[in-house]
Amino acid sequence: MTELNKIVLKIISNGKGILAADESNGTMTKRLASVNITSSPENRLLFRETLFSSDSMKDCIGGVILYDETINQKTNYGNSIPDLISSSGAIPGIKVDTGAKDLAKSSEEKITEGLDGLRERLNKYYKLGARFTKWRGVYTISKEYPSKLAIHSNAHALARYSALVQESRMVPIVEPEVLMDGDHSAEICLNKTSEVIQKCFEELILHKIDLSGIILKPNMILAGNKSKHQISNEEVSEKTLECLKKSVPSEVPGVAFLSGGQSEIEATENLNLINKNNNTNFIMTYSYGRALQHSALRQWSKDIKNKEATQNTFNHRARMCSLASKGKWSVELENK
Ligand code: 13P
């Protein structure tokens, strides 16, 4: 077993998943504004530190993805945020892309940037304690999109990023997110997502990536959020498994889904069914941002000094996701 594979398994095995807390300051400002909290470095730290010191970190969270601001911050007790995360047994990770920009020659689509100077930034993050990284490519579905150009250029960037990350002895999360926005059917989401993921692996293999040392972070297969033909949770799990079975090489140890705008319960229930029906060798777990933090953020905004109430809310959510990653979640446990 390689060092990279060991890191992967430590992050996603045994009912653990990833807490995606890597919202950029712009995104975090919108999240905080939605609960009437001022977005200052202190408030962003306070909320995140509250989550990172929760009890459920030990059993449910194998890795935390941080944003550049947070990986450089210190707690009230003077220890660094990566140290706080490591003290619960979880592994600190870092978002290293610099965002999705308009794609030249197809300006309604996006290309994710951040390759310039990446090797040097990775060395700095390794020294700060990071052992895995994230890069998100983003694709929209419409009549003509995602275009071949967007599919190819984002896959190429994800592969070049992954090569630099593995060279720096860290595990790359490869995140091709096909957005749920639109009125397309689940069948179209299945076809487009499969094409996107297959292209990513074609490029990853070309760039000599050790596939046992990556984590794939895809979207689940859903009908577009404006489609009149929504599918059941059971169908989401079946189509998601179908997509991954035909698109992901067997050397990949596991998949950690993004929640992508699903509610907390939807994301939990769908993951639970994916695991109940899992007929692959892949570990299937979560790498949720909103679906792990939504209720906790609401609770925190009622009284930002009440650590216990926020942590209770977060612990419940994390435990439900952990059960779902083993196919052991139920409505009864959710409402207990
Ligand atoms: P969501 O779970 O809120 O989609 O966030 C996951 C993530 O890291 C997006 O890049």
Side-chain angles (χ1 to χ4, degrees):
M1 196 190 285
T2 63
E3 281 307 307
L4 293 179
N5 185 244
K6 274 190 209 156
I7 297 173
V8 170
L9 295 180
K10 190 154 182 238
I11 296 172
I12 62 172
S13 306
N14 302 321
K16 291 189 179 181
I18 299 169
L19 168 60
D22 60 319
E23 298 85 359
S24 64
N25 287 348
T27 302
M28 199 59 191
T29 298
K30 282 187 213 146
R31 301 268 154 87
L32 291 174
S34 75
V35 291
N36 295 317
I37 301 279
T38 312
S39 183
S40 60
E42 295 72 27
N43 282 346
R44 293 192 286 270
L45 175 64
L46 184 60
F47 176 62
R48 287 165 166 159
E49 194 182 329
T50 304
L51 302 187
F52 303 162
S53 46
S54 301
D55 284 346
S56 57
M57 286 287 297
K58 290 191 187 70
D59 301 318
C60 308
I61 304 296
V64 179
I65 317 174
L66 299 169
Y67 182 60
D68 181 73
E69 175 181 83
T70 325
I71 201 170
N72 286 294
Q73 282 174 319
K74 285 198 176 0
T75 69
N76 270 338
Y77 301 101
N79 53 337
S80 74
I81 291 296
D83 282 351
L84 171 65
I85 291 166
S86 303
S87 70
S88 72
I91 299 186
I94 181 78
K95 184 228 298 286
V96 299
D97 68 63
T98 55
K101 309 285 160 58
D102 288 350
L103 175 62
K105 307 281 184 186
S106 187
S107 60
E108 285 177 75
E109 297 190 282
K110 301 285 177 198
I111 176 70
T112 301
E113 295 191 347
L115 290 171
D116 288 353
L118 181 56
R119 181 178 271 132
E120 292 71 28
R121 287 192 293 124
L122 291 171
N123 287 337
K124 188 187 85 184
Y125 289 136
Y126 188 94
K127 287 190 190 125
L128 288 169
R131 292 295 178 269
F132 75 102
T133 65
K134 170 184 134 175
W135 179 291
R136 171 175 173 262
V138 57
Y139 311 81
T140 42
I141 295 185
S142 70
K143 256 204 182 112
E144 64 261 55
Y145 302 138
S147 66
K148 296 268 178 233
L149 178 61
I151 293 174
H152 182 267
S153 52
N154 276 295
H156 177 81
L158 276 161
R160 285 187 56 198
Y161 140 82
S162 298
L164 286 163
V165 172
Q166 289 195 337
E167 180 193 85
S168 306
R169 294 170 290 146
M170 294 189 277
V171 165
I173 291 187
V174 175
E175 181 178 2
E177 176 175 6
V178 180
L179 296 171
M180 60 153 74
D181 302 337
D183 59 5
H184 53 271
S185 65
E187 207 52 38
I188 290 182
C189 177
L190 170 64
N191 292 338
K192 297 295 177 192
T193 304
S194 304
E195 191 181 345
V196 161
I197 295 178
Q198 284 164 20
K199 188 54 144 184
C200 285
F201 281 105
E202 205 181 300
E203 289 287 324
L204 289 170
I205 291 165
L206 185 69
H207 286 79
K208 306 184 179 167
I209 303 307
D210 167 9
L211 297 182
S212 74
I214 72 159
I215 298 170
L216 178 69
K217 176 164 172 168
N219 50 287
M220 293 179 192
I221 303 301
L222 308 167
N225 57 6
K226 296 194 190 78
S227 167
K228 291 194 196 85
H229 307 287
Q230 294 299 319
I231 57 171
S232 66
N233 300 107
E234 191 66 38
E235 286 170 299
V236 170
S237 76
E238 283 162 13
K239 286 193 192 310
T240 302
L241 285 164
E242 182 187 337
C243 170
L244 297 172
K245 257 174 104 165
K246 68 178 177 199
S247 312
V248 184
S250 58
E251 299 94 303
V252 175
V255 169
F257 294 99
L258 57 93
S259 59
Q262 298 180 73
S263 71
E264 290 177 330
I265 304 288
E266 259 179 302
T268 310
E269 188 164 0
N270 285 334
L271 178 64
N272 189 54
L273 286 169
I274 288 170
N275 277 292
K276 277 195 156 170
N277 298 331
N278 190 0
N279 50 1
T280 72
N281 289 323
F282 305 125
I283 297 169
M284 302 279 190
T285 189
Y286 47 94
S287 176
Y288 293 163
R290 285 162 285 180
L292 271 171
Q293 299 183 57
H294 184 79
S295 301
L297 182 63
R298 270 161 203 277
Q299 180 60 49
W300 180 71
S301 70
K302 290 183 195 159
D303 177 1
I304 64 171
K305 299 236 164 63
N306 189 345
K307 211 169 157 176
E308 196 183 337
T310 305
Q311 292 186 335
N312 286 341
T313 306
F314 176 70
N315 286 336
H316 179 66
R317 199 68 259 132
R319 287 182 182 130
M320 292 303 111
C321 287
S322 174
L323 286 168
S325 77
K326 299 187 255 187
K328 291 187 174 161
W329 172 88
S330 66
V331 178
E332 293 69 44
L333 290 168
E334 179 67 48
N335 296 327
K336 221 174 182 176

